[in-house]
């Protein structure tokens, strides 16, 4: 086992016994939602995973230790500290470990730590991708590179249109990452069920998802796969409402010269601010929906 990694006793026991385990990220807690909804949601997501037959492993860096499985207190701490906690992507782990510092893990780093711990599936809300205007800024999330090189299945609700969804799909294709639609042929756009872009494959059951993942492992590929699960109909937002908020958030980010790792958290917070609680409620519901699917798929993978 990696010398910097701590697996919680509950997660360790489940892994040793071959029981299903689902990894969860922590940037969504610190940077993705406001306190106290972030903490409530993180705990509810863990509970949902348990109710669906798997053990949750929320991942973060605490005091320079890579943690797979957090205590309630650690989740509360990350949620309260919010955007003052370091957002940790792949390039940040060496510094956090060397300095014994804390970090909330993005999709990329959660995949790295999940894989180190022996967890092969991970549930989240949205992934990072190719930003709009990336042909000039070169702002492409490290999440995409991680999907290309780390063998973890990531279950998300697609990507927000703060990103260029077309370019994100092109990038994933180049990198050999299969994009799977759960019960859909269309890539979901996080708050809405449709984006106008097609996925590579439609899959309709956890069994089938497990089969795809096993085949990928059997082929000896090094990368992972992306499962996109549309937000339940009753929680989806009006396209016009969310598009207007995103356009406004993008314009403000440009005006204020926001760049680098600040871009995504800035846009996420702005969108919540502009749409009141509505987008936050949608966000919570889609994460719970992804947790259910990931837990059921983890159970298939453990068979
Ligand atoms: N998109 C969301 N919610 C999030 C994130 C993205 O809808 O919470 C977070 C995830 O942790 C993701 C990270 O991995 O932002 C991507 O950041 P960047 O674009 O800087 O790579
Ligand atoms: Mn970026």
């Amino acid at each position: 086992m990696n010398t910097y990694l701590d697996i919680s006793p509950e997660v360790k026991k489940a892994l040793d016994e071959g029981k299903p385990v689902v990894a969860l990220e922590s940037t969504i807690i610190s940077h993705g939602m406001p306190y106290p909804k972030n903490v409530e949601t993180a705990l509810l997501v863990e509970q949902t995973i348990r109710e669906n037959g798997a053990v949750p492993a929320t991942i973060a860096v605490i005091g320079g230790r890579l943690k797979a499985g957090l205590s309630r207190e650690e989740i509360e701490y990350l949620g309260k500290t919010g955007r003052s906690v370091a957002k940790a992507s792949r390039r940040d782990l060496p510094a956090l470990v060397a300095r014994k510092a804390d970090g909330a893990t993005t999709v990329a780093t959660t995949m790295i730590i999940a894989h180190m711990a022996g967890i092969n599936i991970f549930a989240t809300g949205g992934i990072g991708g190719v930003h709009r205007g990336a042909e000039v800024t070169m702002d492409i999330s490290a999440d995409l590179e991680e999907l290309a090189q780390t063998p973890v299945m990531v279950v998300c609700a697609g990507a927000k249109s703060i990103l260029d969804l077309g370019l994100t799909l092109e990038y994933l294709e180049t990198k050999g990452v299969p994009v799977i639609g759960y019960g859909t042929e269309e890539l979901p756009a996080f708050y809405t069920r449709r984006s106008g872009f097609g996925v590579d494959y439609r899959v309709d059951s956890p069994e089938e998802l497990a089969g795809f993942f096993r085949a990928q492992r059997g082929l000896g590929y090094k990368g992972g796969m992306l499962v996109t699960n549309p937000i339940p109909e009753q929680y989806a937002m009006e396209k016009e409402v969310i598009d207007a908020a995103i356009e406004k958030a993008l314009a403000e980010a440009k005006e204020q010269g926001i760049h680098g790792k600040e871009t995504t958290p800035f846009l996420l917070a702005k969108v919540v601010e502009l749409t009141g609680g509505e987008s936050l409620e949608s966000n919570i519901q889609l994460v719970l929906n992804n947790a259910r699917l990931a837990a059921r798929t983890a159970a298939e993978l453990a068979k």
Side-chain angles (χ1 to χ4, degrees):
M1 198 168 94
N2 192 285
T3 52
Y4 300 119
L5 178 65
D6 291 332
I7 305 181
S8 77
E10 187 197 11
V11 171
K12 176 91 174 54
K13 182 162 183 284
L15 290 169
D16 286 346
E17 293 173 358
K19 299 249 170 72
V21 177
V22 175
L24 298 162
E25 62 154 310
S26 46
T27 295
I28 190 174
I29 305 175
S30 59
H31 292 66
M33 290 183 192
Y35 181 80
K37 278 280 176 193
N38 55 0
V39 173
E40 284 167 31
T41 304
L43 296 173
L44 195 54
V45 170
E46 289 205 340
Q47 187 189 323
T48 302
I49 286 178
R50 289 182 206 284
E51 285 166 4
N52 285 274
V55 170
T58 302
I59 287 178
V61 184
I62 307 278
R65 301 292 302 173
L66 313 181
K67 299 276 184 190
L70 295 187
S71 67
R72 203 191 166 92
E73 292 68 38
E74 286 165 332
I75 289 176
E76 179 79 31
Y77 159 72
L78 291 172
K80 262 198 179 140
T81 315
R83 284 165 72 183
S84 314
V85 172
K87 171 184 159 194
S89 197
R90 170 175 270 272
R91 59 109 189 255
D92 304 300
L93 283 188
L96 293 175
V97 166
R99 292 180 168 168
K100 300 190 172 19
D102 302 331
T105 53
T106 62
V107 168
T109 3
T110 304
M111 289 178 75
I112 295 170
I113 298 171
H115 179 55
M116 273 181 190
I119 304 168
N120 50 23
I121 180 161
F122 157 26
T124 186
I127 58 155
V130 180
H131 279 263
R132 296 210 216 164
E135 61 277 19
V136 174
T137 63
M138 291 185 74
D139 188 350
I140 300 171
S141 176
D143 292 354
L144 301 184
E145 292 295 328
E146 210 58 53
L147 281 160
Q149 62 177 315
T150 302
V152 172
M153 178 188 281
V154 178
V155 180
C156 70
K160 289 193 172 87
S161 57
I162 59 173
L163 302 174
D164 187 317
L165 300 183
L167 291 187
T168 300
L169 288 173
E170 292 291 351
Y171 200 88
L172 289 167
E173 180 185 2
T174 300
K175 293 290 175 171
V177 178
V179 178
I180 300 164
Y182 191 72
T184 181
E185 264 129 50
E186 205 174 313
L187 179 76
F190 198 88
Y191 296 116
T192 58
R193 293 173 60 86
R194 312 191 57 170
S195 66
F197 293 97
V199 292
D200 304 327
Y201 299 96
R202 171 182 174 152
V203 161
D204 291 287
S205 68
E207 297 88 317
E208 215 187 338
L209 284 179
F212 270 50
F213 191 73
R214 278 197 201 102
Q216 194 188 38
R217 301 280 65 76
L219 288 165
Y221 280 18
K222 64 189 171 108
M225 53 179 65
L226 187 64
V227 178
T228 62
N229 186 26
I231 183 171
E233 196 88 58
Q234 67 268 39
Y235 301 112
M237 290 183 72
E238 295 275 353
K239 188 179 182 311
E240 295 69 34
V241 172
I242 196 64
D243 283 356
I246 285 172
E247 290 303 335
K248 193 145 189 270
L250 285 165
E252 282 195 37
K254 197 166 183 186
E255 210 176 275
Q256 294 184 36
I258 307 289
H259 65 274
K261 71 191 287 190
E262 297 307 325
T263 302
T264 298
F266 177 91
L267 294 172
L268 297 178
K270 245 330 159 217
V271 168
V272 172
E273 191 187 306
L274 291 169
T275 54
E278 197 194 343
S279 69
L280 184 56
E281 190 51 33
S282 296
N283 197 345
I284 293 168
Q285 293 300 332
L286 65 84
V287 177
L288 295 174
N289 191 47
N290 296 340
R292 282 186 286 270
L293 178 59
R296 288 163 51 210
T297 306
E300 287 298 324
L301 283 169
K303 274 183 186 166

